[in-house]
Amino acid sequence: LALFVLLLPGPGGWCLAEPQRDSLREELVITPLPSGDVAATFQFRTRWDSELQREGVSHYRLFPKALGQLIAKYSLRELHLSFTQGFWRTRYWGPPFLQAPSGAELWVWFQDTVTEEGSSTPTWDCPSCGAREWYGEQEVRVLRGESPRTTPDRPLSPSDTDHYFLRYAVLPREVVCTENLTPWKKLLPCSSKAGLSVLLKADRLFHTSYHSQAVHIRPVCRNARCTSISWELRQTLSVVFDAFITGQGKKDWSLFRMFSRTLTEPCPLASESRVYVDITNYNQDNETLEVNPAPTTTYQDVILGTRKTYAVYDLLDTAMIHNSRNLNIQLKWKRPPENEFPPGPFLHAQRYVSGYGLQKGELSTLLYNTHPYRAFPVLLLDTVPWYLRLYVHTLTITSKGKDNKPSYIHYQPAQDRLQPHLLEMLIQLPANSVTKVSIQFERALLKWTEYTPDPNHGFYVSPSVLSALVPSMVAAKPVDWEESPLFNSLFPVSDGSNYFVRLYTEPLLVNLPTPDFSMPYNVICLTCTVVAVCYGSFYNLLTRTFHIEEPRTGGLAKRLANFIRRIRGVPPL
């Protein structure tokens, strides 16, 4: 009776449940690469219509509470954190949806309420147990249209970002392991129990050529005037499988071969759960490959300047899984695709160190623009450790044998043991050209306590960051960013003739003048030996007591021996 009374409606009738203000979308994109490898990109997007820094939020449903409290406590505007093992080979694999450098990388924008100096500035450390490097606060200088802060409804102009502070940290030697993957999976609403996250098996993900996991937090405008915002959390994970290893020497692949698991059910909290398979055929021959089971629908759009076709599998479609109790997507090549190559990327880069000896050297970065007739600018960001002392007057930029003067350049010198060098340039890349950026440096001698346990292995230098609006060969049509796939709305731009890319070069390994660490060991051993011999003998002489002993005539043993010798006729002792 008491329970019935509690369930009775009030004066206003039955209370209606408040509509949910958060939503979850998950997707998996599988892309066969030109090299024969297979790339798999997971994206889990959680959007929450809430003002975390204005409203007193105490209840969290899909959005992780730990991240929500982090945004509110430290006045965060935007955060990007990635852990990567391996290197994305843009020249052979094509441009990625979202590339990250090897190791750990962190981008953080703070609100204008955070002061530059003082106690109100939060103390942040790069997530590692090793060395930490901070690159200071810099104004965000972006190209037109570039912005992780670009919203689906209205792109922010570069002047809008002058009020926010940027923190950038990178650790190129960070080792990625299951200790990083497990907390990442716990941020998912369904964890690894249902949906696409059941494929995230650690022993399969780390047995790949490339592995990158990231967390992206950014505000998104709800309307055209951006009077109210929503918080968007994107958890991305990209892996590249070697098809010849997983497919026993064949380029055929399946979900079970790559992940050792299949899809059994969608995440019950997700409003959208889909799998996209790139079936783009560059030879215009429909009999080249076969996808099994047949997709429910296909999706065509211009992705990164190339028109592509995707087979779409909707996990929320009950007939998709319940017919066979699981979904194991398979792709078989009817004939070898050796002669099938997609168009190469218009922008790629590489970096190397040259010179001889352990005193001076040169850092060189090659920027390739393979577009046949279009030139475009590139924003180059270099962070060099302080122990490589740069000679800025030796900075040279050449394109097609001629000097290329940058449109914009900003240099912040390093401070020993405090901050590294920061070099930022806006360079115009001519069409079908190779631009070389080089600068000389001198190696510094560190203190003996500053060397790593394996100093002869070398010291890592963080990769260069390239940001550019690359011309597209195919004009993209305006689309609804909220309704389009997640991989098509990472960096939306208003102009369909260009697309934004951010690329990273290889991290460098530089040797520094290293003292002979065996000499202290030798000195210690020699010193201990000398002390033991000299001081031990001297101490023994000072503390020993000497006694004069009278000679004895002999005991029982001597008498017995003489008796035996006498019997044998031998003179006695």
Side-chain angles (χ1 to χ4, degrees):
L1 181 60
L3 179 63
F4 177 75
V5 172
L6 291 175
L7 293 178
L8 286 177
W14 294 98
C15 297
L16 298 178
E18 182 181 356
Q20 301 295 343
R21 301 168 59 185
D22 51 3
S23 61
L24 171 66
R25 295 174 60 185
E26 59 177 8
E27 74 176 25
L28 168 63
V29 182
I30 301 177
T31 307
L33 300 177
S35 60
D37 302 326
V38 180
T41 303
F42 293 84
Q43 286 200 57
F44 303 88
R45 194 202 74 166
T46 303
R47 181 169 177 173
W48 192 11
D49 298 338
S50 175
E51 295 282 352
L52 293 177
Q53 297 170 345
R54 298 179 182 178
E55 303 176 1
V57 180
S58 59
H59 176 70
Y60 292 82
R61 181 174 172 264
L62 300 180
F63 202 91
K65 184 177 181 180
L67 297 181
Q69 294 177 344
L70 188 71
I71 295 173
K73 181 178 181 180
Y74 293 105
S75 301
L76 296 185
R77 176 68 178 177
E78 192 169 334
L79 182 143
H80 303 270
L81 174 63
S82 64
F83 292 90
T84 306
Q85 187 169 359
F87 176 70
W88 183 275
R89 306 182 183 276
T90 307
R91 184 176 180 181
Y92 305 101
W93 295 345
F97 294 118
L98 187 63
Q99 187 181 0
S102 301
E105 184 192 41
L106 176 64
W107 299 76
V108 180
W109 277 267
F110 292 99
Q111 296 282 4
D112 53 359
T113 57
V114 178
T115 59
E116 296 184 6
E117 302 291 343
S119 59
S120 59
T121 302
T123 301
W124 287 68
D125 284 334
C126 194
S128 170
C129 296
R132 298 173 175 84
E133 293 181 352
W134 268 113
Y135 298 113
E137 297 178 355
Q138 297 295 326
E139 295 181 356
V140 183
R141 299 175 175 88
V142 295
L143 299 167
R144 181 185 60 83
E146 175 204 348
S147 177
R149 300 161 301 284
T150 301
T151 62
D153 302 301
R154 179 178 66 89
L156 298 177
S157 62
S159 61
D160 293 335
T161 64
D162 293 339
H163 301 289
Y164 306 114
F165 298 134
L166 167 64
R167 292 275 189 174
Y168 176 61
V170 63
L171 193 63
R173 202 182 177 183
E174 177 70 13
V175 179
V176 185
C177 59
T178 55
E179 294 180 356
N180 307 114
L181 180 63
T182 301
W184 185 89
K185 291 194 295 185
K186 289 182 179 180
L187 298 177
L188 299 174
C190 289
S191 185
S192 57
K193 306 300 182 181
L196 300 178
S197 58
V198 299
L199 302 177
L200 303 179
K201 195 175 180 181
D203 60 337
R204 302 297 298 174
L205 295 179
F206 291 105
H207 190 64
T208 55
S209 303
Y210 175 82
H211 173 272
S212 178
Q213 61 187 63
V215 174
H216 307 277
I217 303 175
R218 63 180 180 180
V220 178
C221 297
R222 301 186 200 176
N223 48 42
R225 294 186 177 182
C226 204
T227 56
S228 59
I229 64 172
S230 301
W231 285 97
E232 180 187 76
L233 167 64
R234 290 206 186 198
Q235 296 179 243
T236 62
L237 189 145
S238 302
V239 290
V240 176
F241 292 93
D242 191 337
F244 291 95
I245 296 179
T246 58
Q248 290 81 36
K250 300 180 181 179
K251 291 188 177 182
D252 303 338
W253 55 265
S254 65
L255 290 181
F256 186 78
R257 282 184 178 180
M258 293 188 296
F259 301 102
S260 297
R261 293 181 181 179
T262 57
L263 298 174
T264 56
E265 60 177 344
C267 176
L269 301 176
S271 60
E272 180 181 306
S273 181
R274 295 180 180 179
V275 179
Y276 294 85
V277 180
D278 188 358
I279 57 174
T280 306
N281 198 332
Y282 301 99
N283 284 340
Q284 305 300 325
D285 184 5
N286 296 329
E287 300 298 328
T288 303
L289 53 86
E290 177 184 0
V291 182
N292 186 33
T296 56
T297 182
T298 59
Y299 174 78
Q300 294 184 357
D301 202 350
V302 178
I303 307 299
L304 297 175
T306 305
R307 186 173 299 278
K308 292 190 176 184
T309 304
Y310 294 90
V312 183
Y313 297 87
D314 191 357
L315 298 185
L316 296 181
D317 186 3
T318 56
M320 178 61 63
I321 296 181
H322 290 285
N323 289 341
S324 58
R325 295 184 180 180
N326 60 18
L327 178 61
N328 183 24
I329 303 175
Q330 302 178 7
L331 188 143
K332 298 181 179 180
W333 295 91
K334 293 186 177 180
R335 59 183 178 85
E338 281 78 8
N339 298 326
E340 182 173 347
F341 295 100
F346 287 146
L347 176 64
H348 60 93
Q350 65 180 34
R351 196 183 190 197
Y352 60 91
V353 59
S354 58
Y356 60 91
L358 295 177
Q359 182 179 4
K360 296 183 179 180
E362 185 179 73
L363 295 176
S364 300
T365 305
L366 300 180
L367 310 178
Y368 294 86
N369 177 14
T370 60
H371 199 285
Y373 54 87
R374 288 285 299 276
F376 54 87
V378 171
L379 187 64
L380 177 65
L381 175 64
D382 268 338
T383 51
V384 183
W386 64 268
Y387 44 77
L388 299 183
R389 309 189 188 281
L390 298 182
Y391 295 148
V392 184
H393 70 280
T394 63
L395 176 64
T396 58
I397 305 174
T398 57
S399 299
K400 295 184 176 181
K402 300 180 181 179
D403 292 339
N404 188 345
K405 186 177 180 180
S407 306
Y408 162 80
I409 185 170
H410 171 74
Y411 173 70
Q412 176 180 330
Q415 299 181 17
D416 289 356
R417 299 170 182 84
L418 293 180
Q419 68 178 17
H421 305 269
L422 177 65
L423 181 61
E424 190 177 12
M425 295 176 291
L426 184 62
I427 307 173
Q428 187 77 12
L429 302 185
N432 197 15
S433 65
V434 180
T435 302
K436 181 179 180 180
V437 181
S438 61
I439 186 171
Q440 297 180 8
F441 65 89
E442 180 181 356
R443 297 173 171 89
L445 183 63
L446 305 180
K447 298 179 180 179
W448 71 274
T449 56
E450 295 175 343
Y451 286 92
T452 58
D454 52 348
N456 293 312
H457 177 75
F459 292 79
Y460 284 88
V461 180
S462 58
S464 301
V465 185
L466 282 74
S467 305
L469 286 174
V470 180
S472 176
M473 296 294 292
V474 183
K477 298 180 180 179
V479 295
D480 186 0
W481 299 113
E482 189 61 29
E483 299 297 331
S484 62
L486 297 179
F487 62 85
N488 199 14
S489 59
L490 283 172
F491 294 107
V493 293
S494 57
D495 188 3
S497 61
N498 300 318
Y499 61 93
F500 173 77
V501 295
R502 176 178 291 150
L503 303 179
Y504 295 86
T505 61
E506 306 91 339
L508 299 180
L509 189 61
V510 179
N511 290 324
L512 295 181
T514 305
D516 188 1
F517 286 102
S518 64
M519 290 304 298
Y521 174 77
N522 297 335
V523 171
I524 292 174
C525 293
L526 180 60
T527 304
C528 293
T529 303
V530 172
V531 170
V533 172
C534 298
Y535 178 76
S537 302
F538 185 72
Y539 181 80
N540 189 19
L541 292 175
L542 293 178
T543 58
R544 176 177 294 182
T545 302
F546 296 92
H547 299 279
I548 299 177
E549 295 184 358
E550 297 292 339
R552 299 180 180 180
T553 58
L556 178 63
K558 185 176 181 180
R559 291 196 299 271
L560 181 61
N562 290 334
F563 177 74
I564 297 175
R565 292 173 68 89
R566 194 178 298 112
I567 296 175
R568 295 175 58 187
V570 180
L573 297 176

